[in-house]
Amino acid sequence: EVISFSEVDYEGVRLPHDDPVVVTLLVELFTMKRILIDRGSSVDILYKHAFDQLKILTDLLKPVKTPLVGFPGEMVHPLGSTDLSVVAGKAPRQTQVQMTFMVV
C-alpha cells in the first residue's frame, strides 16, 4: 500500500521544506523511536548503543571491510553488519521486512 500524509501531518511545517522524516518502528520486537529516514543514504546505520539494547551478541555481527564516509569526508569503520526484522505500521496495515544494518 502507498504510504501517504494528510494535511494534519503538515501541521506546523512551513512549505516548501527539506526537513528529515523521523519515525517509530518495531525492530526485533523492540520499539525504536526517533529513527531518521534519509533517502540519500546508501546504508542503514544502527548505533552501537541501540544494538546493545537489543541484546544481540557482538559475535553475531558479520565483518564489514569497507569504511563509511560521511559528508565532511570523515571515515567510520563499522563494527559489523546484522540482519534485523523491522515492522512498520499497525495491523491490518502492517509490513515486516528484513533489513541489513551497519553497526557503528
Short mmCIF file of all heavy atoms in Angstrom, two decimals, residues 8-42:
data_model
loop_
_atom_site.label_atom_id
_atom_site.label_comp_id
_atom_site.label_asym_id
_atom_site.label_seq_id
_atom_site.Cartn_x
_atom_site.Cartn_y
_atom_site.Cartn_z
N VAL A 8 -3.16 17.12 8.04
CA VAL A 8 -2.95 17.09 9.50
C VAL A 8 -1.47 16.84 9.81
O VAL A 8 -0.91 17.41 10.74
CB VAL A 8 -3.84 16.00 10.16
CG1 VAL A 8 -3.51 15.84 11.63
CG2 VAL A 8 -5.30 16.33 9.96
N ASP A 9 -0.82 16.00 9.01
CA ASP A 9 0.59 15.68 9.23
C ASP A 9 1.50 16.87 8.98
O ASP A 9 2.63 16.91 9.46
CB ASP A 9 1.01 14.51 8.34
CG ASP A 9 0.26 13.25 8.67
OD1 ASP A 9 0.24 12.86 9.85
OD2 ASP A 9 -0.33 12.64 7.75
N TYR A 10 1.03 17.84 8.20
CA TYR A 10 1.84 19.02 7.88
C TYR A 10 1.64 20.16 8.87
O TYR A 10 2.18 21.23 8.68
CB TYR A 10 1.52 19.51 6.47
CG TYR A 10 2.09 18.63 5.39
CD1 TYR A 10 1.26 17.85 4.60
CD2 TYR A 10 3.46 18.58 5.17
CE1 TYR A 10 1.79 17.05 3.61
CE2 TYR A 10 4.00 17.76 4.19
CZ TYR A 10 3.15 17.00 3.41
OH TYR A 10 3.66 16.19 2.43
N GLU A 11 0.87 19.92 9.92
CA GLU A 11 0.61 20.98 10.90
C GLU A 11 1.92 21.49 11.48
O GLU A 11 2.75 20.72 11.97
CB GLU A 11 -0.28 20.44 12.02
CG GLU A 11 -0.71 21.50 13.02
CD GLU A 11 -1.67 20.94 14.05
OE1 GLU A 11 -2.55 20.14 13.68
OE2 GLU A 11 -1.52 21.31 15.22
N GLY A 12 2.13 22.80 11.39
CA GLY A 12 3.34 23.42 11.93
C GLY A 12 4.54 23.36 11.00
O GLY A 12 5.62 23.84 11.34
N VAL A 13 4.40 22.80 9.81
CA VAL A 13 5.50 22.68 8.85
C VAL A 13 5.38 23.80 7.83
O VAL A 13 4.33 24.00 7.25
CB VAL A 13 5.47 21.30 8.14
CG1 VAL A 13 6.56 21.24 7.07
CG2 VAL A 13 5.61 20.18 9.13
N ARG A 14 6.48 24.52 7.64
CA ARG A 14 6.49 25.57 6.63
C ARG A 14 6.94 24.97 5.31
O ARG A 14 7.99 24.35 5.22
CB ARG A 14 7.46 26.68 7.04
CG ARG A 14 6.99 27.42 8.26
CD ARG A 14 7.92 28.56 8.56
NE ARG A 14 7.54 29.15 9.82
CZ ARG A 14 8.37 29.76 10.63
NH1 ARG A 14 9.64 29.87 10.31
NH2 ARG A 14 7.94 30.27 11.75
N LEU A 15 6.11 25.13 4.30
CA LEU A 15 6.41 24.57 2.98
C LEU A 15 7.01 25.63 2.08
O LEU A 15 6.68 26.79 2.21
CB LEU A 15 5.13 24.01 2.35
CG LEU A 15 4.48 22.86 3.13
CD1 LEU A 15 3.15 22.48 2.49
CD2 LEU A 15 5.39 21.65 3.20
N PRO A 16 7.86 25.34 1.13
CA PRO A 16 8.47 24.02 0.92
C PRO A 16 9.50 23.76 2.01
O PRO A 16 10.02 24.70 2.62
CB PRO A 16 9.12 24.15 -0.45
CG PRO A 16 9.47 25.59 -0.56
CD PRO A 16 8.38 26.34 0.19
N HIS A 17 9.84 22.50 2.24
CA HIS A 17 10.80 22.15 3.28
C HIS A 17 11.62 20.94 2.85
O HIS A 17 11.27 20.23 1.92
CB HIS A 17 10.08 21.83 4.59
CG HIS A 17 9.35 20.53 4.55
ND1 HIS A 17 9.96 19.35 4.89
CD2 HIS A 17 8.09 20.21 4.19
CE1 HIS A 17 9.10 18.35 4.74
NE2 HIS A 17 7.95 18.85 4.31
N ASP A 18 12.72 20.73 3.54
CA ASP A 18 13.52 19.53 3.33
C ASP A 18 13.88 18.93 4.69
O ASP A 18 14.97 18.42 4.90
CB ASP A 18 14.77 19.81 2.48
CG ASP A 18 15.69 20.82 3.14
OD1 ASP A 18 15.35 21.36 4.21
OD2 ASP A 18 16.78 21.05 2.59
N ASP A 19 12.92 19.04 5.61
CA ASP A 19 13.12 18.51 6.96
C ASP A 19 13.28 17.00 6.92
O ASP A 19 12.70 16.33 6.06
CB ASP A 19 11.92 18.85 7.86
CG ASP A 19 11.74 20.35 8.05
OD1 ASP A 19 12.72 21.09 7.86
OD2 ASP A 19 10.62 20.77 8.35
N PRO A 20 14.04 16.46 7.86
CA PRO A 20 14.16 14.99 7.91
C PRO A 20 12.86 14.36 8.37
O PRO A 20 12.05 14.98 9.05
CB PRO A 20 15.27 14.77 8.95
CG PRO A 20 15.28 16.00 9.78
CD PRO A 20 14.81 17.12 8.89
N VAL A 21 12.65 13.11 7.96
CA VAL A 21 11.49 12.34 8.41
C VAL A 21 11.96 11.44 9.55
O VAL A 21 12.96 10.73 9.41
CB VAL A 21 10.92 11.49 7.25
CG1 VAL A 21 9.79 10.60 7.74
CG2 VAL A 21 10.45 12.38 6.12
N VAL A 22 11.27 11.50 10.67
CA VAL A 22 11.62 10.69 11.83
C VAL A 22 10.41 9.83 12.18
O VAL A 22 9.30 10.34 12.30
CB VAL A 22 12.02 11.58 13.03
CG1 VAL A 22 12.36 10.74 14.24
CG2 VAL A 22 13.19 12.48 12.66
N VAL A 23 10.63 8.51 12.32
CA VAL A 23 9.54 7.58 12.58
C VAL A 23 9.86 6.69 13.76
O VAL A 23 10.98 6.65 14.25
CB VAL A 23 9.25 6.70 11.34
CG1 VAL A 23 8.81 7.55 10.16
CG2 VAL A 23 10.44 5.85 10.98
N THR A 24 8.85 5.95 14.21
CA THR A 24 9.00 4.92 15.22
C THR A 24 8.70 3.58 14.55
O THR A 24 7.70 3.45 13.87
CB THR A 24 8.01 5.16 16.39
OG1 THR A 24 8.32 6.41 17.00
CG2 THR A 24 8.11 4.05 17.43
N LEU A 25 9.60 2.60 14.73
CA LEU A 25 9.43 1.28 14.15
C LEU A 25 9.69 0.21 15.19
O LEU A 25 10.36 0.45 16.19
CB LEU A 25 10.39 1.07 12.97
CG LEU A 25 10.23 1.98 11.76
CD1 LEU A 25 11.38 1.76 10.79
CD2 LEU A 25 8.90 1.73 11.09
N LEU A 26 9.20 -0.98 14.92
CA LEU A 26 9.46 -2.14 15.76
C LEU A 26 10.64 -2.89 15.15
O LEU A 26 10.56 -3.36 14.01
CB LEU A 26 8.21 -3.03 15.80
CG LEU A 26 8.11 -4.06 16.89
CD1 LEU A 26 8.09 -3.41 18.27
CD2 LEU A 26 6.85 -4.89 16.70
N VAL A 27 11.75 -2.97 15.88
CA VAL A 27 12.95 -3.65 15.40
C VAL A 27 13.25 -4.80 16.35
O VAL A 27 13.49 -4.58 17.53
CB VAL A 27 14.16 -2.69 15.33
CG1 VAL A 27 15.41 -3.42 14.86
CG2 VAL A 27 13.86 -1.50 14.42
N GLU A 28 13.20 -6.03 15.82
CA GLU A 28 13.42 -7.23 16.65
C GLU A 28 12.55 -7.20 17.91
O GLU A 28 13.03 -7.48 19.01
CB GLU A 28 14.90 -7.36 17.01
CG GLU A 28 15.79 -7.69 15.84
CD GLU A 28 15.49 -9.04 15.19
OE1 GLU A 28 15.29 -10.02 15.91
OE2 GLU A 28 15.46 -9.08 13.95
N LEU A 29 11.30 -6.82 17.73
CA LEU A 29 10.28 -6.76 18.80
C LEU A 29 10.54 -5.67 19.84
O LEU A 29 9.92 -5.66 20.89
CB LEU A 29 10.13 -8.12 19.48
CG LEU A 29 9.72 -9.26 18.54
CD1 LEU A 29 9.60 -10.57 19.31
CD2 LEU A 29 8.42 -8.95 17.82
N PHE A 30 11.45 -4.75 19.57
CA PHE A 30 11.68 -3.60 20.44
C PHE A 30 11.22 -2.35 19.70
O PHE A 30 11.50 -2.18 18.51
CB PHE A 30 13.17 -3.44 20.78
CG PHE A 30 13.69 -4.47 21.73
CD1 PHE A 30 14.21 -5.67 21.26
CD2 PHE A 30 13.65 -4.26 23.10
CE1 PHE A 30 14.70 -6.63 22.12
CE2 PHE A 30 14.13 -5.21 23.98
CZ PHE A 30 14.65 -6.40 23.49
N THR A 31 10.52 -1.46 20.40
CA THR A 31 10.08 -0.21 19.80
C THR A 31 11.25 0.76 19.77
O THR A 31 11.81 1.09 20.82
CB THR A 31 8.92 0.41 20.60
OG1 THR A 31 7.83 -0.53 20.62
CG2 THR A 31 8.46 1.72 19.98
N MET A 32 11.63 1.20 18.57
CA MET A 32 12.70 2.18 18.42
C MET A 32 12.08 3.49 17.99
O MET A 32 11.41 3.56 16.95
CB MET A 32 13.72 1.73 17.39
CG MET A 32 14.62 0.66 17.88
SD MET A 32 16.07 0.60 16.81
CE MET A 32 17.04 -0.57 17.71
N LYS A 33 12.32 4.51 18.78
CA LYS A 33 11.78 5.84 18.49
C LYS A 33 12.88 6.69 17.87
O LYS A 33 14.06 6.42 18.03
CB LYS A 33 11.27 6.49 19.76
CG LYS A 33 10.12 5.73 20.38
CD LYS A 33 9.62 6.41 21.62
CE LYS A 33 8.46 5.61 22.20
NZ LYS A 33 7.93 6.24 23.40
N ARG A 34 12.47 7.72 17.19
CA ARG A 34 13.38 8.69 16.58
C ARG A 34 14.32 8.05 15.57
O ARG A 34 15.52 8.24 15.60
CB ARG A 34 14.15 9.45 17.66
CG ARG A 34 13.24 10.29 18.54
CD ARG A 34 14.00 11.11 19.53
NE ARG A 34 14.88 10.37 20.40
CZ ARG A 34 14.55 9.84 21.56
NH1 ARG A 34 13.32 9.98 22.01
NH2 ARG A 34 15.42 9.20 22.29
N ILE A 35 13.76 7.27 14.64
CA ILE A 35 14.53 6.71 13.54
C ILE A 35 14.52 7.72 12.40
O ILE A 35 13.46 8.10 11.92
CB ILE A 35 13.94 5.36 13.07
CG1 ILE A 35 14.05 4.34 14.20
CG2 ILE A 35 14.64 4.88 11.81
CD1 ILE A 35 13.37 3.02 13.89
N LEU A 36 15.70 8.16 12.00
CA LEU A 36 15.82 9.14 10.93
C LEU A 36 15.81 8.43 9.58
O LEU A 36 16.58 7.51 9.35
CB LEU A 36 17.13 9.92 11.09
CG LEU A 36 17.50 10.86 9.95
CD1 LEU A 36 16.48 12.00 9.83
CD2 LEU A 36 18.90 11.41 10.15
N ILE A 37 14.92 8.86 8.72
CA ILE A 37 14.85 8.35 7.36
C ILE A 37 15.60 9.32 6.46
O ILE A 37 15.22 10.48 6.33
CB ILE A 37 13.38 8.23 6.86
CG1 ILE A 37 12.54 7.41 7.82
CG2 ILE A 37 13.34 7.69 5.44
CD1 ILE A 37 12.89 5.96 7.90
N ASP A 38 16.68 8.87 5.86
CA ASP A 38 17.49 9.69 4.97
C ASP A 38 17.54 9.00 3.62
O ASP A 38 18.29 8.05 3.43
CB ASP A 38 18.90 9.86 5.54
CG ASP A 38 19.79 10.71 4.65
OD1 ASP A 38 19.32 11.18 3.59
OD2 ASP A 38 20.96 10.90 5.02
N ARG A 39 16.72 9.46 2.69
CA ARG A 39 16.62 8.81 1.38
C ARG A 39 17.91 8.91 0.59
O ARG A 39 18.14 8.17 -0.35
CB ARG A 39 15.47 9.41 0.58
CG ARG A 39 14.14 9.16 1.22
CD ARG A 39 12.98 9.75 0.46
NE ARG A 39 13.32 10.61 -0.65
CZ ARG A 39 12.74 10.55 -1.84
NH1 ARG A 39 11.80 9.69 -2.07
NH2 ARG A 39 13.09 11.38 -2.80
N GLY A 40 18.81 9.81 0.98
CA GLY A 40 20.07 9.97 0.25
C GLY A 40 21.17 9.05 0.75
O GLY A 40 22.23 8.97 0.16
N SER A 41 20.91 8.34 1.83
CA SER A 41 21.93 7.47 2.41
C SER A 41 21.99 6.14 1.66
O SER A 41 20.97 5.61 1.23
CB SER A 41 21.64 7.22 3.89
OG SER A 41 22.60 6.35 4.45
N SER A 42 23.18 5.58 1.54
CA SER A 42 23.33 4.31 0.84
C SER A 42 23.40 3.13 1.79
O SER A 42 23.59 2.00 1.36
CB SER A 42 24.59 4.35 -0.03
OG SER A 42 25.72 4.56 0.80
#
